Structures are given as C-alpha cells and as structure tokens.
Amino acid sequence: EDCVILFVGGPASALGKRLGMRYGSSCTVVYADPQGQPEWRPLDVTAALMQRFNAIDRIQSAQTIGVVYGTVAVHGFKEVHDRCSRLIRSTGRKVYSMVVGKLNQPKLSNFAHVDVFVLLSCPQSFLAVDMKAYPVPIVCPYDVEVAFGAREWDMRYILEFDELLETSAGTASEEHLQSDF
C-alpha cells in the first residue's frame, strides 16, 4: 500500500532508519530539514535490507545463538523471548539467554562460541546499534522467524514486540512457535 510520510529530520537518523525498515520502498518520505528545503524522495533502504538478508543467511548457518536481553521493560518481552527460544531449539540449535547490560563488543567477545546474537530491545535501541562494530551478526526476533521459516519475508520489518506477537507467522512452522520444549 503506497503512503506518504512527513518526517522532520534526516534519512540517516535512527527514526529515519526505523521508517525505512518498517515501510520499505512502498512509501515516499518528505524529509524536512529544519535548516533546508523539504525534499521528496522514496526511502532508500536497499543497503539496510541487504544487511538484514545477510544476517538471515548467517542465522540459518549458525549452530549456537545467543539471546541478549536489551530490555525487560518493553511489553511482550517475555513472550517474544520464549517464542524465539522455542523456535531456535526446535531447529536443533543451541540457544543461550544472557543479560550483558549495555551492549558492546568487548562483552559479546566473551561469548566466542556464539555465532549470532538476537537482541531483545525496543526498536530505537536495536536500530542504534552499529552492526559493523561486532564480529558476529546482531539480529532481531523477526530475523529469526524469517530465517527458520516461521514467517514470510514481506519487505515490512517488524521491530515492535506487540506487533510481532499479534501478527501470525503464517507458515507450517508456526507449530514450532506454539509447542513447548
């Protein structure tokens, strides 16, 4: 569905990235820079989507996945954690849950045996992470569901826990999300 969004700020800001990831290329955004003229242009999320696609590839080849608590205060945190952990276990992979406080590269380096980290956090915190600073991918629960076939890739990127829980995964693998292990 086409849409137009008026956004006061630049395309490189965290909120600009969030809009791009959420609405993909189906929206036109008016970037209104307070110091300049508003400019109309489609969101360019190609690089971000390619990075996510690469991360999904890495999830599929991972044998050990760490679930990192970025927050426990977001509504739906426990349900998303449980759903994500069950899905990972259902594929025969090892899953470790961990609290590391403020996410940084030296802390995650202590877990050298982990191939991918799933960050459970609010969307702003997830998008603020500089993914290039980490030796292994930092992904979100949506990436995990896509990687393991529990959800179809549809160019919409779901970062909010409530929306992730409300939307059906929609494939035969949904039984993995519901069963207890």
Side-chain angles (χ1 to χ4, degrees), residues 53-123:
F53 190 73
N54 181 45
I56 288 169
D57 236 13
R58 298 274 303 268
I59 295 167
Q60 291 171 333
S61 64
Q63 291 304 307
T64 305
I65 299 175
V67 179
V68 178
Y69 294 15
T71 184
V72 293
V74 175
H75 184 263
F77 167 83
K78 182 176 179 355
E79 293 85 357
V80 170
H81 171 267
D82 293 346
R83 181 168 150 164
C84 192
S85 295
R86 279 193 304 267
L87 179 60
I88 294 167
R89 276 192 212 101
S90 75
T91 65
R93 288 163 172 82
K94 293 180 188 173
V95 60
Y96 296 102
S97 297
M98 56 193 78
V99 178
V100 295
K102 184 171 171 49
L103 189 68
N104 63 48
Q105 198 271 338
K107 287 180 185 176
L108 293 186
S109 293
N110 289 318
F111 304 98
H113 62 286
V114 174
D115 302 313
V116 174
F117 290 99
V118 182
L119 178 59
L120 301 179
S121 70
C122 68

